Structure formats: structure tokens, C-alpha cells
Amino acid sequence: MVAFNGCDSILTTITTLLPESTNTLNLTTCDPLQAGTTIDTLVAFNGCDSILTTITTLLPESTNTLNLTTCDPLQAGTTIDTLVFDDHHYITTGIY
């Protein structure tokens, strides 16, 4: 480059590498279809890549046993089970 006075001009450029942003998000789910790991590349506030790793772990099934007693022979052996999943109520009745 030539300076304003006609002499050589040396231009030194210093480029600093900005750090990439990496984050891990740990989640849990009851839905086997949502379990697993995903990696997304987004744009951070500074214009650099931002790596988001989402790890979704499948929760174990919940099994409960409730032992009851009754003096009414008509209620003996009768069960009523209610399961709530995604705001849906599932009811099962039976005599066992």
C-alpha cells in the first residue's frame, strides 16, 4: 500500500477468533419417540456458531400396587384404574 505521502505503508491486521458457544440441555420424557440426542447449530449473538446438544432420557415406567380391604362383598376384587397421559384420561375397570 502507498501512504498519503507516497511512501510504503504497512497495514497489520490482527484477527481474534471468537469462541463458539456450546450448551447441553438435559431433558426427560415418558414418550419413547422423544428420547435420544440431537445436535443443532444455531447463530449466536456474535454471529458465530452456537452448538446446542439436547439429551432426552426416557423415564422408567411407574408401577404401583394398592392393596385395599372392604366389608362389601360386591367391591371385593373390583378395580378401577385411571391413567392420565397428555391430558387424556384412560379408565379401566374390571373384576379380578
Side-chain angles (χ1 to χ4, degrees):
M1 292 180 79
V2 177
F4 69 93
N5 60 6
C7 297
D8 285 345
S9 174
I10 297 174
L11 176 64
T12 303
T13 303
I14 300 172
T15 304
T16 303
L17 180 64
L18 294 171
E20 74 177 7
S21 175
T22 59
N23 290 295
T24 300
L25 185 61
N26 291 299
L27 303 174
T28 57
T29 184
C30 296
D31 185 355
L33 298 176
Q34 294 179 350
T37 300
T38 60
I39 300 173
D40 296 306
T41 302
L42 310 169
V43 178
F45 70 94
N46 60 6
C48 295
D49 285 348
S50 175
I51 310 295
L52 175 63
T53 303
T54 305
I55 302 170
T56 306
T57 304
L58 183 63
L59 293 172
E61 291 181 5
S62 176
T63 303
N64 295 304
T65 301
L66 183 61
N67 294 309
L68 303 174
T69 58
T70 183
C71 295
D72 184 350
L74 297 177
Q75 290 181 347
T78 302
T79 63
I80 300 174
D81 299 318
T82 303
L83 171 68
V84 179
F85 182 74
D86 284 341
D87 294 328
H88 292 76
H89 294 265
Y90 302 93
I91 299 174
T92 303
T93 61
I95 299 175
Y96 302 98

